[in-house]
Amino acid sequence: MLVDGSVLAVEPTDLPEEDAEIFAAKTGFDPRELATPHLYFYVRPRRIQAWRETDDPAGRELMRDGEWLVPD
């Protein structure tokens, strides 16, 4: 998978508590419990491609210019 977009690094002390809770719930991992602080990253994708092999047919582009190209 290829994700092209922008990323914002956030210190744990600057992350809203609600966002930290959502991250922990969705991933099953809570970096707040670690002894060494870890950064959080907000990723805003602009383009997403997925493929299995290099010779996959067209249609591997799932997002372009921040808009999904595949149905929900």
Side-chain angles (χ1 to χ4, degrees), residues 9-56:
V10 180
E11 295 284 343
T13 55
D14 296 332
L15 186 72
E17 185 66 23
E18 180 183 0
D19 289 357
E21 291 293 331
I22 291 169
F23 179 87
K26 286 188 176 189
T27 64
F29 169 66
D30 193 343
R32 296 172 294 176
E33 297 173 356
L34 301 175
T36 304
H38 285 67
L39 292 174
Y40 286 84
F41 297 94
Y42 286 108
V43 179
R44 178 170 289 169
R46 299 291 304 154
R47 183 175 182 218
I48 299 176
Q49 289 183 319
W51 62 90
R52 288 178 283 196
E53 303 291 334
T54 57
D55 62 346
D56 276 353

Side-chain angles (χ1 to χ4, degrees), residues 1-3 48-51 62:
M1 179 173 287
L2 171 71
V3 178
I48 299 176
Q49 289 183 319
W51 62 90
L62 307 176

